């Protein structure tokens, strides 16, 4: 029998481990609820789903599906075409303002993602902060003078 591979986040792995402990009667439902910071009622719900669906019970049911709030692909193409025509050298914020004036309202973040995907815009690399290494405090010139004399 071929087993299915499920990608889990660390939080989901922790939940699954605790639920298995409850199933094996190593801990109580109330203890599991305290550890996971959820209600004991929700623990019972998760245990029911674990029995019914297996390890998939801890994964959100909408994972992997497109958002219901996603804008239409046709609108994305229309906006990107307009970007190529008139606003190819604009950043996402300014382009979003100009597109809104033309009757094509789109958030700057959505436009930024589309522009990056279409290679219209490349985000600048974030500056790496220099790490300050602690060193021994300089005692001043008095200690240096003591060393000389």
């Amino acid at each position: 029998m071929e087993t299915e591979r499920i990608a889990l986040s660390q939080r989901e792995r922790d939940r699954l481990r605790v639920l298995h402990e409850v199933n094996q009667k190593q801990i109580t439902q109330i203890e599991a609820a305290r550890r996971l910071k959820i209600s004991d009622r929700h623990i019972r719900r998760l245990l029911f789903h674990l029995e019914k669906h297996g390890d998939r019970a801890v994964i959100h049911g909408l994972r992997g599906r497109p958002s219901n709030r996603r804008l239409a692909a046709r609108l994305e193409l229309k906006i990107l075409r307009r970007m190529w025509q008139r606003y190819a050298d604009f950043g996402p914020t300014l382009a979003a303002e100009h597109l809104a004036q033309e009757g094509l309202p789109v958030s700057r973040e959505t436009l930024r993602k589309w522009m990056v995907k279409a290679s219209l815009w490349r985000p600048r690399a974030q500056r790496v902060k220099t790490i300050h290494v602690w060193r021994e405090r300089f005692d001043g010139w008095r200690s240096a003078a003591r060393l000389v004399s």
Side-chain angles (χ1 to χ4, degrees):
M1 183 176 148
E2 191 176 320
T3 57
E4 182 184 6
R5 192 174 179 94
I6 304 171
L8 298 174
S9 68
Q10 184 62 49
R11 182 177 177 201
E12 290 165 343
R13 281 193 296 272
D14 293 341
R15 271 190 172 196
L16 194 58
R17 184 176 35 79
V18 171
L19 290 173
H20 282 303
E21 287 177 16
V22 172
N23 268 346
Q24 296 165 356
K25 307 273 192 260
Q26 293 174 350
I27 61 172
T28 64
Q29 291 179 2
I30 293 173
E31 173 61 22
R34 190 189 58 74
R35 276 197 208 171
L36 297 177
K37 296 183 175 96
I38 57 178
S39 69
D40 54 322
R41 172 73 184 94
H42 192 59
I43 289 289
R44 285 190 288 281
R45 242 187 332 263
L46 286 171
L47 287 169
F48 173 75
H49 284 285
L50 185 67
E51 202 173 288
K52 191 174 178 184
H53 302 288
D55 290 350
R56 289 193 148 280
V58 293
I59 297 174
H60 195 280
L62 297 177
R63 181 189 285 182
R65 293 187 185 172
S67 168
N68 289 337
R69 297 176 55 86
R70 182 186 57 190
L71 295 172
R74 188 181 264 170
L75 178 65
E76 179 182 350
L77 288 173
K78 182 178 180 179
I79 287 175
L80 286 175
R81 212 173 298 122
R82 191 67 178 150
M83 286 292 304
W84 279 109
Q85 291 170 353
R86 291 195 64 181
Y87 309 118
D89 57 340
F90 283 26
T93 305
L94 184 60
E97 290 173 9
H98 281 268
L99 288 167
Q101 290 173 355
E102 289 187 22
L104 297 169
V106 64
S107 76
R108 67 179 171 80
E109 270 306 300
T110 301
L111 187 59
R112 182 187 66 77
K113 283 192 278 187
W114 290 348
M115 289 172 72
V116 168
K117 189 172 76 176
S119 301
L120 270 172
W121 189 71
R122 198 167 47 105
R124 258 184 275 154
Q126 293 296 314
R127 188 173 64 127
V128 178
K129 290 187 178 181
T130 55
I131 299 170
H132 178 75
V133 180
W134 185 86
R135 61 180 173 80
E136 195 73 39
R137 183 181 178 134
F138 180 64
D139 196 19
W141 294 108
R142 279 177 269 156
S143 62
R146 266 188 255 133
L147 292 173
V148 173
S149 54

